[in-house]
Amino acid sequence: MQKVIVLDFGAQYGQLIARRVRDLGVYSEILPCDTPAAELAATGVDAIILSGGPASVYAENAPSIDPAVFELGVPVLGFCYGQQIMAKVLGGEVGHTDVGEYGPATITRVTPSRLFDGTPEEQTVWMSHRDSVVKVPEGFAVTARTAVCPVASMECAERNLYATQFHPEVRHTTYGNDMLSNFLFDICGLIRDWSADGIADILIAAICNQVGNDRMILGLSGGVDSSVVGALCARAIGKQLTCVFVNHGLLRKNEPEEVEEVFTKQFDVDFVHVHAEERYAKLLAGVTDPEAKRTIIGTQFWEEFFAVAQQLAEDGRPVKYLAQGTIYPDIIESGARKTGGKASTIKSHHNLIPFPEGVSFELVEPLDHFFKDEVRALGTALGLPDSIVWRQPFPGPGLAIRIIGDVTPEKLRILKDADAIVREELDTYNALLFEKTGERNSEHACWQYFAVLPDIRCVGVMGDERTYARPVIVRAVESTDAMTADWAKLPYEVLEKISSRIVAEVVGVNRVVYDVTPKPPGTVEWE
Ligand code: XMP
């Protein structure tokens, strides 16, 4: 399989470039900017892209590049800082321009270039720079400029070196994708050969290589990220992997059974189902504060998890590696940055893991380069069922934060049963939309939907009897990232069916209400 390496100069969203390349059907991964040329050559690279970065090429400790990269005979494309470093290393000049450019800018092409084939003479691009190239290296031609930037792009076609001051990877650059495509297929002569199956093979080989004959442990939550890591590691190292599924009793109806089924029947791993339901019930008894519930549940998870690791060590099977389902947006969100290596010691986004005294693991995070939809494609390629691959987001503290007030077995029973009905009906609703639109996340598909149990009772009448029972709240939202959300405008018939089924089928419920609050000002969850 062909490979495009993105050398990262500290670009805020460097992974986006790799992502765009993968979207075009060519495998791509990111490595630190100072990776030696010999190392790149040894791994077999077909094209190199230099990312942008926040520094000035003349700043002290400015990130640099091994000049031999330009001698490898491999086509190179630089963006922003990538253009500037290419110019500087190859004998051009970078200077401060009087006016920086931030945001949309119009470029005018000045000489024909294969990079711009099929795109207009004038077009909108996305700029973000103060420095710019003021003199191109020998043998280079300027291919586009803007009113304030004399070298908006440059190239030395004979050596297959291309660069742009703007960012083609950003959607605001109207023809950015065409440029990337021209580079990959026309200039580099690559073909589309990347697929989720292919990447699964690469990741599996990397895990085998790293872990060797040692033992690895993974906390399985049943969510898509940890399940895909579980499936990958299972394929890579089989029974050397212990999957720990801590059942806190706060998962949705039938979920624990499904996770167990998949990881015992479909994958051949050491699966430990920790039945911690009673311990959690005791710890949560009488606790009403949402943050206190979260803390108790999180802390106890690690207690249970480390107890399994300790038991393995006592049984003569000590654990060296901890696998984590970290995906790329988790790293962005936590502000932690890392490029390259598949494993590292604990970084800031893992500081929340309360390792006991003297305990440490080496981390394996096979998905840390990937975005959610790529992880889903990988899950499908590995044979995980749709119910896991397309599982909606579910909070770690589970149903405990959907039960307002204290958590009791009776409330849990009511919520699980009501929630199962909400999910069943809205799964059907989403599936019908999917059939119509061909898109799983079509505009009006519900993104997250569940039931909430408030800590009150209300009066009703059933048959000839007055009832004094519980109301259930239905929450269904449309969103893409949970940062903002809108309540789903569900058809009345769907709401009617959910309501009548819950009241008829769930003992102890006499009323159903629908939450019509967007986020903000509401949140998706009630606690
Ligand atoms: P809110 O309620 O903040 O939720 O609008 C946004 C998204 O985050 C999920 N969520 C959590 N996930 N632990 C988690 O792992 C939590 O404590 C938690 N609280 C909210 C929520 O389901 C939604 O997708």
Side-chain angles (χ1 to χ4, degrees):
M1 185 170 3
Q2 311 151 111
K3 196 195 295 174
V4 175
I5 293 291
V6 176
L7 291 181
D8 181 17
F9 290 88
Q12 196 183 357
Y13 293 103
Q15 282 291 357
L16 215 101
I17 303 172
R19 168 62 202 264
R20 297 267 178 262
V21 174
R22 294 196 297 263
D23 277 351
L24 286 167
V26 181
Y27 179 62
S28 176
E29 63 180 49
I30 191 160
L31 286 176
C33 58
D34 53 2
T35 306
E39 196 179 312
L40 289 175
T43 62
V45 56
D46 298 284
I48 295 169
I49 297 180
L50 314 180
S51 82
S56 159
V57 285
Y58 293 117
E60 222 179 296
N61 300 326
S64 198
I65 186 169
D66 177 355
V69 167
F70 298 109
E71 310 301 327
L72 286 172
V74 173
V76 182
L77 173 61
F79 299 156
C80 194
Y81 188 90
Q83 165 164 289
Q84 295 168 14
I85 200 78
M86 185 187 288
K88 179 174 173 243
V89 168
L90 297 177
E93 261 176 51
V94 178
H96 294 297
T97 41
D98 295 336
V99 199
E101 281 179 301
Y102 299 95
T106 303
I107 55 160
T108 306
R109 293 169 57 183
V110 288
T111 43
S113 163
R114 288 166 82 190
L115 192 67
F116 292 89
D117 264 359
T119 74
E121 290 300 308
E122 285 208 343
Q123 50 185 286
T124 305
V125 300
W126 191 260
M127 289 281 198
S128 180
H129 70 109
R130 178 156 283 281
D131 290 358
S132 57
V133 175
V134 290
K135 183 172 154 253
V136 299
E138 214 179 297
F140 273 70
V142 177
T143 50
R145 60 175 164 72
T146 71
V148 294
C149 178
V151 187
S153 61
M154 63 174 200
E155 69 186 43
C156 175
E158 301 80 68
R159 295 175 66 190
N160 272 337
L161 304 178
Y162 294 79
T164 66
Q165 179 56 58
F166 55 87
H167 291 267
E169 77 275 25
V170 172
R171 287 273 178 242
H172 309 282
T173 296
T174 316
Y175 296 94
N177 231 26
D178 300 75
M179 293 168 202
L180 262 181
S181 172
N182 286 341
F183 177 69
L184 297 174
F185 305 120
D186 209 27
I187 294 168
C188 304
L190 303 182
I191 50 162
R192 292 169 206 268
D193 70 348
W194 182 86
S195 66
D197 286 317
I199 186 63
D201 290 341
I202 291 182
L203 296 176
I204 288 168
I207 296 166
C208 285
N209 201 11
Q210 185 183 352
V211 176
N213 294 322
D214 286 306
R215 175 150 291 276
M216 181 197 268
I217 195 165
L218 164 72
L220 262 188
S221 67
V224 53
D225 304 338
S226 66
S227 298
V228 171
V229 169
L232 274 173
C233 296
R235 290 270 150 85
I237 56 169
K239 288 244 189 264
Q240 283 162 253
L241 170 68
T242 297
C243 287
V244 182
F245 174 60
V246 176
N247 186 349
H248 48 25
L250 305 165
L251 285 180
R252 292 170 292 187
K253 200 170 179 177
N254 299 329
E255 260 179 344
E257 293 77 8
E258 185 183 23
V259 175
E260 175 153 1
E261 164 105 10
V262 168
F263 284 93
T264 50
K265 303 240 163 75
Q266 209 175 322
F267 296 98
D268 191 23
V269 297
D270 177 32
F271 181 86
V272 181
H273 188 148
V274 182
H275 282 283
E277 298 96 316
E278 284 185 13
R279 290 190 284 282
Y280 274 91
K282 267 198 201 129
L283 287 166
L284 287 169
V287 180
T288 56
D289 176 65
E291 289 314 304
K293 289 186 203 173
R294 280 191 168 85
T295 307
I296 290 170
I297 293 164
T299 310
Q300 186 61 20
F301 171 82
W302 291 109
E303 293 269 325
E304 303 282 348
F305 185 81
F306 288 123
V308 176
Q310 186 147 8
Q311 190 59 51
L312 285 167
E314 280 167 22
D315 295 346
R317 299 189 294 163
V319 176
K320 181 162 176 199
Y321 293 97
L322 171 66
Q324 289 261 292
T326 316
I327 66 171
Y328 184 63
D330 299 335
I331 295 175
I332 287 280
E333 271 161 29
S334 68
R337 279 202 54 254
K338 82 176 194 176
T339 53
K342 290 272 183 262
S344 68
T345 42
I346 308 304
K347 293 265 166 127
S348 59
H349 61 293
H350 296 103
N351 282 351
L352 296 177
I353 302 178
F355 283 97
E357 272 295 298
V359 172
S360 71
F361 299 112
E362 280 185 42
L363 273 190
V364 180
E365 298 178 297
L367 304 179
D368 65 351
H369 283 31
F370 297 101
F371 290 81
K372 196 80 173 187
D373 51 336
E374 296 181 299
V375 171
R376 289 208 166 102
L378 206 52
T380 301
L382 289 161
L384 287 172
D386 271 5
S387 52
I388 287 184
V389 167
W390 290 97
R391 196 176 95 139
Q392 51 178 297
F394 184 66
L399 300 181
I401 58 161
R402 293 179 181 169
I403 293 175
I404 315 301
D406 64 340
V407 180
T408 65
E410 171 66 357
K411 288 182 186 171
L412 261 175
R413 176 199 55 83
I414 292 177
L415 184 61
K416 279 184 191 179
D417 287 349
D419 184 71
I421 294 171
V422 174
R423 283 198 291 143
E424 212 176 290
E425 293 302 328
L426 292 184
D427 281 349
T428 309
Y429 171 75
N430 267 355
L432 285 175
L433 276 182
F434 177 34
E435 230 171 67
K436 256 199 231 155
T437 60
E439 276 176 72
R440 260 185 213 274
N441 295 320
S442 70
E443 202 186 345
H444 293 297
C446 292
W447 188 76
Q448 196 173 2
Y449 38 97
F450 50 89
V452 177
L453 190 66
D455 200 22
I456 51 173
R457 283 169 199 268
C458 55
V459 174
V461 56
M462 279 166 128
D464 290 334
E465 299 263 330
R466 177 185 182 277
T467 57
Y468 189 52
R470 294 193 173 275
V472 160
I473 298 157
V474 177
R475 181 74 165 141
V477 297
E478 295 168 7
S479 177
T480 48
D481 54 9
M483 301 296 285
T484 59
D486 198 4
W487 60 279
K489 312 295 184 296
L490 295 173
Y492 284 156
E493 313 81 77
V494 174
L495 286 171
E496 187 177 37
K497 182 133 187 242
I498 292 173
S499 163
S500 57
R501 276 197 62 195
I502 290 178
V503 174
E505 295 173 35
V506 185
V507 177
V509 177
N510 64 354
R511 190 180 293 258
V512 176
V513 301
Y514 188 45
D515 181 348
V516 291
T517 322
K519 172 184 178 176
T523 47
V524 175
E525 303 289 347
W526 271 56
E527 281 200 335

